[in-house]
Amino acid sequence: MTTGARGSDAGPSLPTYQTIIDRLQAYWESQGCVVVQPYHTEVGAGTFNPATFLRCLDSRPWRAAYVEPCLRPADGRYGENPYRLGHYYQYQVVIKPSPADIQDVYLQSLVALGVDLREHDVRFVEDNWEGPTLGAWGLGWEVWIDGMEITQFTYFQQLGGFDLDPITIEITYGLERLAMYLQGVDDIFDLVWARWADESGEQRTVTYGDVYKENEYEFSRYGFEVADTAMLYRHFGEHEAEAERCLAARLPVPAYDYVLKCSHAFNLLDARGVISVTDRTAHIGRVRNLARKVAELYLDVNAPGGEAEQRRGLVAGADGAGAAAAAAAGGDEAKS
Amino acid sequence: MTTFLLEIGCEELPAAVCRSILTQLVGRGERGGLVYRLFNEYRLLAEEDAKTGGEAGAAAAQPSAAAFAETRLSVLVSPRRVAVLVTGVPDEQTPLTQAFRGPRADVAYGADGVLTKAGLGFARSRGADAALLRRELVDSTEFVVVEVAAERRAAADVVPELARRLICGIQVTRGMRWGARPADEDYLRFSRPVRWLVCKLGQRTIEFPFFGLGAGEVSQGHRVLGAPIIIDEADHYVRHVLEQKVVVSQDERRARIVAGLDECAARVGGEWFDPGDVLAEALYLVEWPSVHVGSFDARHLRLPDEVLVTAMQSHQRYFPVRDRDGKLLAAFLYVSNADPAAAPLVTRGNERVLEGRLDDAEFSYERDLAEGLTAMAAKLQHVVFHERLGSLADKSRRLERLVAWLAGQAGENNELEQVVATAAGLAKADLASQLVQEFPTLQGRVGGLYAQAAGQPAEVAQAIAEQYLPVSATAPVPAGLAGALLAVADKTDNIVGAWAADEKPSGSRDPYGLRRAAMGIVRIALEFALRCGVEDLLSAALVAYDDQGVAHAEGIVAEAAAFVWERLQVLLLDEGLPFPMVEAALGSSAADIPARAARARSFAVLEGRDFFDDVVTTYSRCASLAEKASGEAPVAVDEALFSEPAEGELHKALAVAAGPVDDALAHLEISSALVAAAKLRPAVDRYFDDVLVMDPDPAVRANRLAQLGAVVGLLRRFGDFGRLPVPALKANDATAGATT
């Protein structure tokens, strides 16, 4: 930890990194979003969190917001580049179906962060999104504030190869970019993460660099130089096989965890530069194929009146005893 | 007579979509755009005062599509709205009389000439007075016919359907869905979500439901600076939205932006320029444009101009500024959508973004320079060109061989050979540079800069910089011969490689841009008069793949050659040459591109001249018989087998013509070559008068067919005249024709 004398010109009136997250959480909570938490497995983007990928597949309404740590080993720069990180955070919002006034609702989130919209040039600039490993695509924009891209705004059209109905809007803030803009900082590592006054009343700050700069170095070295490629190839195959076993057991959520693990193994192999062009296409195809199967099974298991609803007692059994009892009975049968 | 307004309110439309919508709605030529076609179909085109044709009379005077677009229609497109304004809309549909055919007359009328039930039923079904029925002969059968004036509905009643079809008739390349499925309807698909509709006829609001939206009178202003506004009258639309900080007319926005750019550039003492055509896009990124000046740290001016300009234009859509000597200034102009009063803050934000991009670029540039082009070239063995075709180092080796071959074709020139060899070896090195990874569109140009920095001769640097030209069907080709040869070699290698790897384009699929590559070869060959044969060139490229050990299917040279010739055909047809002339020239046995192009262009000019017709006639007479020899082993003409004087005469004529024809063709003097060839005509005519080609003696017959074959062979050097209609027979031809 260092004192506030160093590093950033972010004055005390400007929101810290953690305050920015707080304000987003509060804002989207006020918009009726379930504030879920980061996922427990490595992902490359907030889209991969099951709160987005799985929850946005079916027809049930859904609103969620969360911080997601994103791992992109190939983007690591040993902590030397002021704009690029191998590990960073997104703030992700998904709302299904997309509301008619969603752009205004989003703009109000900037107001909640302290941006006076009339003092800035806020634009929606065409940018379409495609996630080849998830068999997903959508149309939308990147949002610019005074020429700086701070958010991706996407109407999902397909996930796992399935046409969506209704349509989800995905809003993804790049938290570091946003904070750099709000704090007027030109180096990620100078972002003020936290600020407080110590016993003597002196202002103290913790910067992003204090928290993550060493990590960036170590993970860059690991990703580019150290990672055991033979192990990663093996893991890719094992995770893939495990995903298939979960699919066979009709367990789409655990199956999806293994899809994510495959995807992460692939990202590490890619960063190590050992994947040739053909190999690349083939591996992406294998992950996409799994994601498609997971999506298919998830839709089936969660169909209205389907097995998930029965297990949760949401469907009345034919005898009136309730589906939970029926499911429990089924479970007992399976054991015997 | 009133004004029609339809405003389609959207979330921000992509710039390319805005341009496409504008074109679709306004249209061009006779057929007109979507608006014209719909107003025509709904009979709302003619102006009230022109509607004097009488109730059942001729249709009122209608404006042509062009006149309508010019005087009555405004299509105004901004990122958040598409507005269609049509003036002079009649209050009700223009009159239309339609004729309907009923049953046969002998069914409609009884023997007594009185209408039967069937006849009366027909009149009733058309809502016509039975007395108006008349008889009419159609294909020698008599039917009953009735003419009925079509219903004339009020404009206000037909506009909802017209408006719905207008919106749904707009084609977008990538439509999307949003929200939830509207009740009882499928999703509306559009480029971006449609959020509001305004529909007015004069002061009247035309309400109608539309995919869960209702058309009404409330429009939206600028996203931040404006407010919702009621459009009280169609004619007031532009003014109403302007009050809410929306310049809805693209022409007005363009004028404001250009004026702002001019003024800002003058203020910093320079002139703005726009090589990336950012203006066309910036126009559709703002509704309330103002232009402002930003600056960047002058130390970045160390970066090459290409890099600075690309960093400003790509992604950020800024305009670079240069002084009178063409030197870049450390300033940029940007178009803002914000309140102009907010400019200081907005400018600072934009400056920070550009500063960051230039820092990045400078970091990459320094690292690249430190590494050097030769070291980058050495890395290419680790970069895959294509899984089946090897690395970029393999590609470089193939290029070196192919340009050497090309330079050899262009004639003895040691200096040129040296330049292209060096350039080819370094051509792909910049693909391993940081800068090209950051700005992919700078490939080649960055290599040129680094070659210069490495002390390579200017010709080498220029050739490297020009290797990807032309970048489109109309973009400039390389300026230097070395660059031209390298560009041809690179494109040829790509085409042959794609065929070898079974990645040839099919239908609309052309992921490697090979059609553009082939067109590039054609255009460069024409510009630089490259006379090497197309098949020879492709074969030379294939040999390099063969030596590398790339396996491939048989016959790909012929296929790839046909692919290249197709591009020449496209180019010549685009020049406006008639299809048969192009086809005839492409049927020539000439192997190179300038030769066939020169033929097509000459044929188109010379068609109808006597010597041209003589050649075509001569060809068609000989070819039709010579074909009979096809399949048989070709024989050399044996003078000992001649029995008729005409045989010897033709033999001599051919020997006399061949030299001058060859000579003239070699210099692409097509006209003189045709004049020389036309001299065969009398000998050929006499031959057909005097000689029975299909002689019973097989040896004589074969000899005579071989003679005709020799004539065809010579003429085939011009082209396949069989593609042309045989010129009309003249008086003396008629007798000749009768004896064959």
Side-chain angles (χ1 to χ4, degrees), chain B residues 145-194:
Chain B
V145 171
V146 70
E147 278 170 2
V148 181
E151 190 192 356
R152 295 177 60 189
R153 299 168 63 197
D157 293 340
V158 295
V159 154
E161 190 184 325
L162 183 155
R164 270 196 295 265
R165 285 188 52 198
L166 200 160
I167 304 167
C168 295
I170 294 173
Q171 306 282 320
V172 290
T173 42
R174 219 175 168 192
M176 63 170 280
R177 298 167 294 133
W178 58 90
R181 183 187 297 271
D184 307 325
E185 278 182 288
D186 198 356
Y187 284 97
L188 168 65
R189 280 172 189 271
F190 206 64
S191 174
R192 287 296 181 273
V194 177

Short mmCIF file of all heavy atoms in Angstrom, two decimals, chain B residues 145-194:
data_model
loop_
_atom_site.label_atom_id
_atom_site.label_comp_id
_atom_site.label_asym_id
_atom_site.label_seq_id
_atom_site.Cartn_x
_atom_site.Cartn_y
_atom_site.Cartn_z
N VAL B 145 -67.64 -8.99 -70.84
CA VAL B 145 -66.64 -8.16 -70.21
C VAL B 145 -67.35 -6.99 -69.56
O VAL B 145 -68.39 -6.54 -70.06
CB VAL B 145 -65.64 -7.65 -71.27
CG1 VAL B 145 -64.72 -6.60 -70.69
CG2 VAL B 145 -64.85 -8.81 -71.86
N VAL B 146 -66.82 -6.54 -68.43
CA VAL B 146 -67.41 -5.34 -67.84
C VAL B 146 -66.28 -4.45 -67.33
O VAL B 146 -65.25 -4.93 -66.86
CB VAL B 146 -68.39 -5.68 -66.70
CG1 VAL B 146 -67.69 -6.23 -65.48
CG2 VAL B 146 -69.21 -4.45 -66.32
N GLU B 147 -66.46 -3.16 -67.50
CA GLU B 147 -65.48 -2.22 -66.99
C GLU B 147 -66.03 -1.56 -65.73
O GLU B 147 -67.17 -1.09 -65.71
CB GLU B 147 -65.14 -1.16 -68.05
CG GLU B 147 -64.11 -1.71 -69.01
CD GLU B 147 -63.91 -0.83 -70.22
OE1 GLU B 147 -64.55 0.24 -70.30
OE2 GLU B 147 -63.11 -1.22 -71.08
N VAL B 148 -65.21 -1.55 -64.72
CA VAL B 148 -65.67 -1.06 -63.42
C VAL B 148 -64.68 -0.02 -62.92
O VAL B 148 -63.47 -0.23 -63.00
CB VAL B 148 -65.73 -2.22 -62.40
CG1 VAL B 148 -66.24 -1.73 -61.05
CG2 VAL B 148 -66.59 -3.34 -62.92
N ALA B 149 -65.19 1.06 -62.42
CA ALA B 149 -64.31 2.06 -61.80
C ALA B 149 -63.92 1.53 -60.42
O ALA B 149 -64.77 1.17 -59.61
CB ALA B 149 -65.03 3.39 -61.66
N ALA B 150 -62.61 1.46 -60.18
CA ALA B 150 -62.14 0.95 -58.89
C ALA B 150 -62.57 1.90 -57.79
O ALA B 150 -62.71 3.11 -58.00
CB ALA B 150 -60.63 0.81 -58.90
N GLU B 151 -62.75 1.34 -56.61
CA GLU B 151 -63.12 2.16 -55.47
C GLU B 151 -62.04 3.20 -55.22
O GLU B 151 -60.85 2.90 -55.35
CB GLU B 151 -63.25 1.25 -54.23
CG GLU B 151 -63.87 1.95 -53.06
CD GLU B 151 -63.72 1.15 -51.76
OE1 GLU B 151 -63.20 0.00 -51.83
OE2 GLU B 151 -64.09 1.66 -50.71
N ARG B 152 -62.44 4.39 -54.89
CA ARG B 152 -61.45 5.43 -54.56
C ARG B 152 -61.53 5.71 -53.08
O ARG B 152 -62.45 6.38 -52.61
CB ARG B 152 -61.72 6.69 -55.38
CG ARG B 152 -61.52 6.46 -56.87
CD ARG B 152 -61.85 7.69 -57.65
NE ARG B 152 -61.01 8.82 -57.26
CZ ARG B 152 -61.22 10.07 -57.68
NH1 ARG B 152 -62.25 10.32 -58.46
NH2 ARG B 152 -60.42 11.04 -57.29
N ARG B 153 -60.56 5.17 -52.38
CA ARG B 153 -60.57 5.33 -50.93
C ARG B 153 -59.85 6.61 -50.54
O ARG B 153 -58.99 7.11 -51.28
CB ARG B 153 -59.90 4.11 -50.27
CG ARG B 153 -60.63 2.82 -50.58
CD ARG B 153 -59.81 1.61 -50.18
NE ARG B 153 -59.56 1.56 -48.74
CZ ARG B 153 -58.62 0.80 -48.17
NH1 ARG B 153 -57.82 0.08 -48.94
NH2 ARG B 153 -58.47 0.79 -46.88
N ALA B 154 -60.22 7.10 -49.39
CA ALA B 154 -59.55 8.30 -48.88
C ALA B 154 -58.10 7.97 -48.59
O ALA B 154 -57.77 6.86 -48.13
CB ALA B 154 -60.24 8.78 -47.61
N ALA B 155 -57.22 8.91 -48.86
CA ALA B 155 -55.79 8.68 -48.60
C ALA B 155 -55.57 8.24 -47.16
O ALA B 155 -54.79 7.32 -46.89
CB ALA B 155 -55.00 9.96 -48.89
N ALA B 156 -56.29 8.87 -46.25
CA ALA B 156 -56.11 8.55 -44.82
C ALA B 156 -56.44 7.08 -44.54
O ALA B 156 -55.92 6.50 -43.58
CB ALA B 156 -56.99 9.46 -43.97
N ASP B 157 -57.30 6.49 -45.37
CA ASP B 157 -57.66 5.09 -45.13
C ASP B 157 -56.62 4.12 -45.68
O ASP B 157 -56.50 3.00 -45.18
CB ASP B 157 -59.02 4.79 -45.77
CG ASP B 157 -60.13 5.55 -45.08
OD1 ASP B 157 -59.91 5.98 -43.92
OD2 ASP B 157 -61.19 5.72 -45.69
N VAL B 158 -55.91 4.52 -46.74
CA VAL B 158 -54.95 3.57 -47.31
C VAL B 158 -53.54 3.77 -46.75
O VAL B 158 -52.70 2.88 -46.84
CB VAL B 158 -54.89 3.64 -48.86
CG1 VAL B 158 -56.20 3.19 -49.44
CG2 VAL B 158 -54.51 5.01 -49.33
N VAL B 159 -53.30 4.94 -46.14
CA VAL B 159 -51.94 5.23 -45.67
C VAL B 159 -51.43 4.24 -44.62
O VAL B 159 -50.26 3.85 -44.67
CB VAL B 159 -51.84 6.70 -45.18
CG1 VAL B 159 -50.74 6.87 -44.15
CG2 VAL B 159 -51.59 7.61 -46.36
N PRO B 160 -52.28 3.77 -43.67
CA PRO B 160 -51.72 2.82 -42.71
C PRO B 160 -51.10 1.59 -43.37
O PRO B 160 -49.99 1.19 -43.03
CB PRO B 160 -52.94 2.43 -41.85
CG PRO B 160 -53.81 3.64 -41.91
CD PRO B 160 -53.66 4.17 -43.31
N GLU B 161 -51.82 1.04 -44.37
CA GLU B 161 -51.27 -0.15 -45.03
C GLU B 161 -50.02 0.21 -45.83
O GLU B 161 -49.02 -0.51 -45.81
CB GLU B 161 -52.34 -0.75 -45.94
CG GLU B 161 -51.94 -2.11 -46.48
CD GLU B 161 -52.97 -2.65 -47.46
OE1 GLU B 161 -54.18 -2.39 -47.25
OE2 GLU B 161 -52.56 -3.29 -48.44
N LEU B 162 -50.09 1.35 -46.51
CA LEU B 162 -48.93 1.81 -47.27
C LEU B 162 -47.72 1.98 -46.35
O LEU B 162 -46.61 1.53 -46.67
CB LEU B 162 -49.28 3.13 -47.96
CG LEU B 162 -48.24 3.76 -48.89
CD1 LEU B 162 -48.94 4.66 -49.91
CD2 LEU B 162 -47.19 4.59 -48.16
N ALA B 163 -47.94 2.60 -45.21
CA ALA B 163 -46.83 2.87 -44.28
C ALA B 163 -46.26 1.57 -43.74
O ALA B 163 -45.03 1.40 -43.63
CB ALA B 163 -47.31 3.76 -43.14
N ARG B 164 -47.14 0.64 -43.41
CA ARG B 164 -46.65 -0.65 -42.91
C ARG B 164 -45.80 -1.35 -43.95
O ARG B 164 -44.73 -1.89 -43.67
CB ARG B 164 -47.83 -1.55 -42.52
CG ARG B 164 -48.27 -1.39 -41.08
CD ARG B 164 -49.15 -2.54 -40.64
NE ARG B 164 -50.41 -2.56 -41.38
CZ ARG B 164 -51.54 -2.00 -40.93
NH1 ARG B 164 -51.56 -1.41 -39.76
NH2 ARG B 164 -52.63 -2.03 -41.66
N ARG B 165 -46.28 -1.31 -45.20
CA ARG B 165 -45.51 -1.98 -46.26
C ARG B 165 -44.20 -1.25 -46.53
O ARG B 165 -43.21 -1.87 -46.90
CB ARG B 165 -46.35 -2.09 -47.53
CG ARG B 165 -47.42 -3.18 -47.37
CD ARG B 165 -48.13 -3.44 -48.66
NE ARG B 165 -47.22 -3.70 -49.76
CZ ARG B 165 -47.59 -3.61 -51.04
NH1 ARG B 165 -48.82 -3.26 -51.35
NH2 ARG B 165 -46.71 -3.87 -51.99
N LEU B 166 -44.23 0.05 -46.34
CA LEU B 166 -42.99 0.82 -46.55
C LEU B 166 -41.92 0.38 -45.54
O LEU B 166 -40.78 0.11 -45.90
CB LEU B 166 -43.31 2.31 -46.40
CG LEU B 166 -42.34 3.31 -47.03
CD1 LEU B 166 -43.05 4.65 -47.20
CD2 LEU B 166 -41.11 3.52 -46.20
N ILE B 167 -42.34 0.30 -44.29
CA ILE B 167 -41.35 -0.08 -43.27
C ILE B 167 -40.86 -1.51 -43.51
O ILE B 167 -39.66 -1.78 -43.49
CB ILE B 167 -41.95 0.04 -41.85
CG1 ILE B 167 -42.49 1.46 -41.62
CG2 ILE B 167 -40.90 -0.30 -40.79
CD1 ILE B 167 -43.37 1.58 -40.39
N CYS B 168 -41.81 -2.40 -43.77
CA CYS B 168 -41.43 -3.80 -43.95
C CYS B 168 -40.68 -4.01 -45.26
O CYS B 168 -39.97 -5.01 -45.43
CB CYS B 168 -42.65 -4.71 -43.90
SG CYS B 168 -43.44 -4.70 -42.29
N GLY B 169 -40.85 -3.09 -46.21
CA GLY B 169 -40.21 -3.24 -47.51
C GLY B 169 -38.75 -2.84 -47.51
O GLY B 169 -38.03 -3.09 -48.48
N ILE B 170 -38.30 -2.19 -46.45
CA ILE B 170 -36.90 -1.80 -46.37
C ILE B 170 -36.06 -3.04 -46.10
O ILE B 170 -36.31 -3.77 -45.15
CB ILE B 170 -36.67 -0.75 -45.26
CG1 ILE B 170 -37.40 0.56 -45.62
CG2 ILE B 170 -35.18 -0.50 -45.04
CD1 ILE B 170 -37.38 1.60 -44.50
N GLN B 171 -35.11 -3.29 -47.00
CA GLN B 171 -34.26 -4.48 -46.84
C GLN B 171 -33.03 -4.11 -46.02
O GLN B 171 -32.36 -3.13 -46.34
CB GLN B 171 -33.78 -4.97 -48.21
CG GLN B 171 -34.88 -5.23 -49.20
CD GLN B 171 -35.57 -6.55 -48.94
OE1 GLN B 171 -34.93 -7.54 -48.61
NE2 GLN B 171 -36.89 -6.56 -49.05
N VAL B 172 -32.77 -4.88 -44.99
CA VAL B 172 -31.51 -4.66 -44.26
C VAL B 172 -30.70 -5.94 -44.33
O VAL B 172 -31.26 -7.04 -44.24
CB VAL B 172 -31.75 -4.23 -42.80
CG1 VAL B 172 -32.33 -2.83 -42.76
CG2 VAL B 172 -32.64 -5.20 -42.06
N THR B 173 -29.39 -5.81 -44.53
CA THR B 173 -28.58 -6.99 -44.77
C THR B 173 -28.55 -7.90 -43.54
O THR B 173 -28.53 -9.10 -43.66
CB THR B 173 -27.13 -6.61 -45.12
OG1 THR B 173 -26.74 -5.54 -44.24
CG2 THR B 173 -27.03 -6.14 -46.54
N ARG B 174 -28.55 -7.31 -42.36
CA ARG B 174 -28.50 -8.15 -41.17
C ARG B 174 -29.60 -7.68 -40.23
O ARG B 174 -29.38 -6.80 -39.40
CB ARG B 174 -27.12 -8.00 -40.53
CG ARG B 174 -26.62 -9.31 -40.01
CD ARG B 174 -25.22 -9.20 -39.48
NE ARG B 174 -24.91 -10.43 -38.75
CZ ARG B 174 -23.86 -10.57 -37.98
NH1 ARG B 174 -23.02 -9.59 -37.81
NH2 ARG B 174 -23.64 -11.70 -37.34
N GLY B 175 -30.78 -8.25 -40.38
CA GLY B 175 -31.90 -7.84 -39.55
C GLY B 175 -31.79 -8.43 -38.16
O GLY B 175 -31.13 -9.45 -37.97
N MET B 176 -32.41 -7.77 -37.18
CA MET B 176 -32.37 -8.30 -35.83
C MET B 176 -33.77 -8.28 -35.22
O MET B 176 -34.68 -7.64 -35.72
CB MET B 176 -31.41 -7.47 -34.96
CG MET B 176 -31.81 -6.02 -34.78
SD MET B 176 -30.80 -5.18 -33.51
CE MET B 176 -31.58 -5.74 -32.01
N ARG B 177 -33.90 -9.00 -34.11
CA ARG B 177 -35.13 -8.98 -33.32
C ARG B 177 -34.79 -8.36 -31.98
O ARG B 177 -33.64 -8.26 -31.61
CB ARG B 177 -35.65 -10.40 -33.13
CG ARG B 177 -36.01 -11.09 -34.44
CD ARG B 177 -36.20 -12.59 -34.26
NE ARG B 177 -34.95 -13.23 -33.90
CZ ARG B 177 -34.83 -14.12 -32.90
NH1 ARG B 177 -35.88 -14.48 -32.20
NH2 ARG B 177 -33.65 -14.64 -32.62
N TRP B 178 -35.81 -7.94 -31.25
CA TRP B 178 -35.57 -7.36 -29.93
C TRP B 178 -36.80 -7.58 -29.06
O TRP B 178 -37.89 -7.87 -29.58
CB TRP B 178 -35.25 -5.87 -30.05
CG TRP B 178 -36.32 -5.08 -30.73
CD1 TRP B 178 -37.38 -4.45 -30.16
CD2 TRP B 178 -36.44 -4.86 -32.15
NE1 TRP B 178 -38.15 -3.85 -31.11
CE2 TRP B 178 -37.60 -4.07 -32.33
CE3 TRP B 178 -35.69 -5.24 -33.27
CZ2 TRP B 178 -38.03 -3.67 -33.61
CZ3 TRP B 178 -36.12 -4.83 -34.53
CH2 TRP B 178 -37.26 -4.06 -34.68
N GLY B 179 -36.61 -7.44 -27.74
CA GLY B 179 -37.73 -7.53 -26.81
C GLY B 179 -38.42 -8.88 -26.86
O GLY B 179 -37.80 -9.92 -27.08
N ALA B 180 -39.72 -8.86 -26.63
CA ALA B 180 -40.51 -10.08 -26.66
C ALA B 180 -41.34 -10.10 -27.94
O ALA B 180 -41.58 -9.05 -28.54
CB ALA B 180 -41.43 -10.14 -25.44
N ARG B 181 -41.76 -11.27 -28.33
CA ARG B 181 -42.58 -11.42 -29.54
C ARG B 181 -43.89 -10.64 -29.35
O ARG B 181 -44.58 -10.84 -28.36
CB ARG B 181 -42.87 -12.90 -29.75
CG ARG B 181 -43.65 -13.25 -30.98
CD ARG B 181 -44.02 -14.72 -30.95
NE ARG B 181 -42.81 -15.55 -30.97
CZ ARG B 181 -42.22 -15.97 -32.09
NH1 ARG B 181 -42.74 -15.66 -33.27
NH2 ARG B 181 -41.14 -16.72 -32.04
N PRO B 182 -44.22 -9.74 -30.28
CA PRO B 182 -45.48 -9.00 -30.13
C PRO B 182 -46.65 -9.97 -30.18
O PRO B 182 -46.59 -10.98 -30.89
CB PRO B 182 -45.50 -8.07 -31.35
CG PRO B 182 -44.12 -8.10 -31.91
CD PRO B 182 -43.52 -9.40 -31.51
N ALA B 183 -47.72 -9.67 -29.42
CA ALA B 183 -48.87 -10.56 -29.36
C ALA B 183 -49.40 -10.81 -30.77
O ALA B 183 -49.57 -9.87 -31.55
CB ALA B 183 -49.95 -9.93 -28.48
N ASP B 184 -49.68 -12.05 -31.06
CA ASP B 184 -50.30 -12.45 -32.34
C ASP B 184 -49.48 -12.09 -33.57
O ASP B 184 -50.00 -12.03 -34.67
CB ASP B 184 -51.70 -11.84 -32.50
CG ASP B 184 -52.57 -12.14 -31.30
OD1 ASP B 184 -52.42 -13.25 -30.75
OD2 ASP B 184 -53.36 -11.27 -30.92
N GLU B 185 -48.22 -11.76 -33.41
CA GLU B 185 -47.43 -11.40 -34.59
C GLU B 185 -46.06 -12.02 -34.45
O GLU B 185 -45.62 -12.34 -33.36
CB GLU B 185 -47.27 -9.88 -34.70
CG GLU B 185 -48.46 -9.20 -35.34
CD GLU B 185 -48.23 -7.70 -35.48
OE1 GLU B 185 -48.26 -7.00 -34.46
OE2 GLU B 185 -48.03 -7.26 -36.59
N ASP B 186 -45.39 -12.14 -35.58
CA ASP B 186 -43.99 -12.52 -35.50
C ASP B 186 -43.19 -11.27 -35.16
O ASP B 186 -43.72 -10.17 -35.17
CB ASP B 186 -43.53 -13.10 -36.85
CG ASP B 186 -42.24 -13.91 -36.69
OD1 ASP B 186 -41.70 -13.92 -35.56
OD2 ASP B 186 -41.79 -14.51 -37.68
N TYR B 187 -41.91 -11.48 -34.85
CA TYR B 187 -41.06 -10.33 -34.60
C TYR B 187 -40.96 -9.46 -35.85
O TYR B 187 -40.87 -9.98 -36.97
CB TYR B 187 -39.64 -10.79 -34.25
CG TYR B 187 -39.47 -11.32 -32.86
CD1 TYR B 187 -39.50 -12.68 -32.61
CD2 TYR B 187 -39.23 -10.46 -31.79
CE1 TYR B 187 -39.31 -13.19 -31.33
CE2 TYR B 187 -39.03 -10.95 -30.51
CZ TYR B 187 -39.07 -12.32 -30.29
OH TYR B 187 -38.88 -12.80 -29.03
N LEU B 188 -40.93 -8.17 -35.67
CA LEU B 188 -40.49 -7.28 -36.74
C LEU B 188 -38.98 -7.42 -36.79
O LEU B 188 -38.33 -7.46 -35.76
CB LEU B 188 -40.87 -5.83 -36.42
CG LEU B 188 -40.24 -4.75 -37.31
CD1 LEU B 188 -40.72 -4.87 -38.75
CD2 LEU B 188 -40.54 -3.36 -36.77
N ARG B 189 -38.43 -7.51 -37.98
CA ARG B 189 -36.97 -7.52 -38.10
C ARG B 189 -36.54 -6.21 -38.72
O ARG B 189 -37.09 -5.78 -39.73
CB ARG B 189 -36.50 -8.67 -39.00
CG ARG B 189 -36.47 -9.99 -38.29
CD ARG B 189 -36.19 -11.12 -39.27
NE ARG B 189 -36.38 -12.41 -38.60
CZ ARG B 189 -35.41 -13.04 -37.95
NH1 ARG B 189 -34.20 -12.54 -37.90
NH2 ARG B 189 -35.66 -14.19 -37.37
N PHE B 190 -35.56 -5.59 -38.12
CA PHE B 190 -35.03 -4.35 -38.67
C PHE B 190 -33.56 -4.27 -38.29
O PHE B 190 -33.07 -5.10 -37.51
CB PHE B 190 -35.83 -3.15 -38.14
CG PHE B 190 -35.81 -1.96 -39.08
CD1 PHE B 190 -36.38 -2.04 -40.33
CD2 PHE B 190 -35.22 -0.76 -38.69
CE1 PHE B 190 -36.37 -0.95 -41.19
CE2 PHE B 190 -35.20 0.33 -39.54
CZ PHE B 190 -35.77 0.24 -40.80
N SER B 191 -32.88 -3.28 -38.82
CA SER B 191 -31.45 -3.18 -38.57
C SER B 191 -31.15 -2.94 -37.09
O SER B 191 -30.20 -3.49 -36.54
CB SER B 191 -30.87 -2.04 -39.40
OG SER B 191 -29.52 -1.83 -39.07
N ARG B 192 -31.98 -2.12 -36.46
CA ARG B 192 -31.89 -1.88 -35.02
C ARG B 192 -33.32 -1.69 -34.53
O ARG B 192 -34.22 -1.46 -35.34
CB ARG B 192 -31.06 -0.62 -34.71
CG ARG B 192 -29.55 -0.76 -34.91
CD ARG B 192 -28.93 -1.77 -33.97
NE ARG B 192 -27.49 -1.91 -34.14
CZ ARG B 192 -26.89 -2.71 -35.00
NH1 ARG B 192 -27.62 -3.47 -35.81
NH2 ARG B 192 -25.57 -2.77 -35.06
N PRO B 193 -33.56 -1.79 -33.22
CA PRO B 193 -34.95 -1.70 -32.74
C PRO B 193 -35.66 -0.42 -33.19
O PRO B 193 -35.09 0.66 -33.18
CB PRO B 193 -34.78 -1.73 -31.22
CG PRO B 193 -33.53 -2.51 -31.00
CD PRO B 193 -32.62 -2.13 -32.13
N VAL B 194 -36.92 -0.60 -33.60
CA VAL B 194 -37.78 0.53 -33.94
C VAL B 194 -38.54 0.90 -32.67
O VAL B 194 -39.14 0.03 -32.03
CB VAL B 194 -38.77 0.15 -35.06
CG1 VAL B 194 -39.71 1.31 -35.37
CG2 VAL B 194 -38.00 -0.25 -36.31
#
